[in-house]
Amino acid sequence: MKLIVGLGNPGKEYEHTRHNAGFVWIDCLADELKVTLRPEARFNALCARVNMNSADLWLLEPQTYMNRSGHSVAALCRFYKIQPDEILVIHDELDLLPGAVKLKCGGGLGGHNGLKDIAAQLGTRDFWRLRIGIGHPGDRSDVVRFVLHPPGKEESRLINEAIDRSLQIWPLIAQGDFQTAMLKLHTK
């Protein structure tokens, strides 16, 4: 793993929204690794470089708004020659209930604009994703309002538990042991 991307929208008005679950995850990992994300204009993102096992690992929070996240990801990947299978994208997932979290590589994009832009900019869907369940509002026409608002108290607790649980498998992800990570994460 060379690049860990958390998806979200920049700005105080979006800080606690469901759509920013990826930013929350990255912030927690940065705290754990004792690094600070700093603005990096050439990637239009907040970034931190971590040396792990004699190799660089990048943490990235695109500051482009969700539907242009791929521009930041692709810029960093081109600059540091990072391949799609060396990327993990953490994002909110409407198709999972709050509290659920799943790890996968490739597959569909589920209508997620951040994932769509990353796939378009990289030219492939073959990157790793950590999907943090936020639930679905029930009606497709309510999705935008739903993701751009904070979750209720119980939903927030469940989403934070999912983030904490997925951070516990971080060492396995860092080692590239995705099979064991998925087994631990997906087994209750």
Side-chain angles (χ1 to χ4, degrees), residues 7 19 66-70 109-118:
L7 296 186
H19 228 9
M66 187 66 75
N67 62 352
R68 294 183 46 82
S69 299
L109 304 173
H112 195 289
N113 289 332
L115 293 178
K116 285 180 185 177
D117 195 55
I118 292 170

Side-chain angles (χ1 to χ4, degrees), residues 46-122:
L46 298 177
C47 301
R49 182 178 10 194
V50 182
N51 189 283
M52 295 193 67
N53 305 322
S54 301
D56 284 338
L57 168 73
W58 286 92
L59 305 183
L60 182 79
E61 290 181 359
Q63 299 295 291
T64 55
Y65 291 95
M66 187 66 75
N67 62 352
R68 294 183 46 82
S69 299
H71 291 74
S72 286
V73 173
L76 190 139
C77 288
R78 280 192 301 272
F79 193 83
Y80 291 107
K81 299 179 180 15
I82 296 172
Q83 299 304 307
D85 65 346
E86 299 171 318
I87 302 168
L88 172 65
V89 177
I90 297 92
H91 65 90
D92 59 302
E93 178 61 63
L94 288 164
D95 294 333
L96 295 175
L97 293 173
V101 60
K102 299 284 183 183
L103 179 65
K104 74 173 192 171
C105 186
L109 304 173
H112 195 289
N113 289 332
L115 293 178
K116 285 180 185 177
D117 195 55
I118 292 170
Q121 294 299 316
L122 296 178

Side-chain angles (χ1 to χ4, degrees), residues 101-102 165 180-188:
V101 60
K102 299 284 183 183
R165 198 166 65 255
T180 305
M182 285 189 283
L183 184 64
K184 285 185 180 266
L185 191 60
H186 301 168
T187 305
K188 295 211 178 203

